[in-house]
Structure formats: structure tokens, C-alpha cells
Amino acid sequence: MKIFIQEIGKNPELLVQMTNMLADLLRDSFNDIFKVYQDNGELVRWESMRIMRYCTSVMIGYLIPNVIMDDQPVDCEKVTHDAVEFLCAGLTPRN
């Protein structure tokens, strides 16, 4: 790992290549998963990266304010419920 990090420092193109390979791998995996739910009418027919952007944004949207501004412990159960409720409402197809 140390050698790999040193090589990335010398050749930043390695990081770009690795990031692209990881993105392709994740996109292909999520395409297959999302397609099952889309075919069952349980998920909107959007491209996988769009769905992932929304999911990631919601998770980060809950995380950052709690880490930066809140001195109260996070109620993980409530936060999870709120995030799932929002995502289900937004990602459910409208017929």
C-alpha cells in the first residue's frame, strides 16, 4: 500500500485510472441491482449514477450537520428512518 501511494504521488494518472475502474465496477453492480427493482416497478427508471447521487447526497446531508453543528448524540434509528422515508418517497415510480 505504501508503494502504491508513493507511485500515485509520482504519477497522478494512476489515481485517475483506479478511480475510473472503481466507478465502472460500482456502476455495473448497481445497474444490475437497480434493474431488478425497476423491472418490478419499485424504483424509478433513472440511470444508476443519478440514483446513487441522490442516495449519497441524503446520507451526507444527515452526516455533515450532525458532525459539525450538533453537540447531541445522533439518533441513528431516527436518522435512518427519516432518510429511508425521504428516499422511498422520491425514488418510487409514480403511475
Side-chain angles (χ1 to χ4, degrees):
M1 187 62 133
K2 184 178 176 182
I3 294 170
F4 181 70
I5 293 171
Q6 288 173 341
E7 288 301 314
I8 287 176
K10 294 176 189 174
N11 185 0
E13 182 62 29
L14 288 175
L15 182 59
V16 171
Q17 290 174 356
M18 187 181 80
T19 303
N20 289 339
M21 288 173 49
L22 182 60
D24 290 341
L25 178 66
L26 289 174
R27 186 177 11 262
D28 291 344
S29 297
F30 283 114
N31 280 342
D32 294 341
I33 294 168
F34 292 157
K35 185 171 179 350
V36 171
Y37 291 99
Q38 289 168 334
D39 289 346
N40 289 333
E42 299 175 48
L43 183 65
V44 290
R45 289 202 176 273
W46 294 343
E47 69 175 49
S48 295
M49 290 310 292
R50 181 177 178 187
I51 295 170
M52 288 307 302
R53 272 192 228 84
Y54 284 118
C55 293
T56 304
S57 296
V58 169
M59 288 185 274
I60 291 172
Y62 274 97
L63 179 67
I64 290 177
N66 282 305
V67 169
I68 295 174
M69 298 181 287
D70 202 354
D71 58 350
Q72 300 294 321
V74 175
D75 181 350
C76 289
E77 192 169 321
K78 179 172 179 4
V79 168
T80 301
H81 177 269
D82 292 348
V84 168
E85 181 180 38
F86 174 77
L87 288 169
C88 284
L91 295 175
T92 301
R94 297 175 193 196
N95 294 325

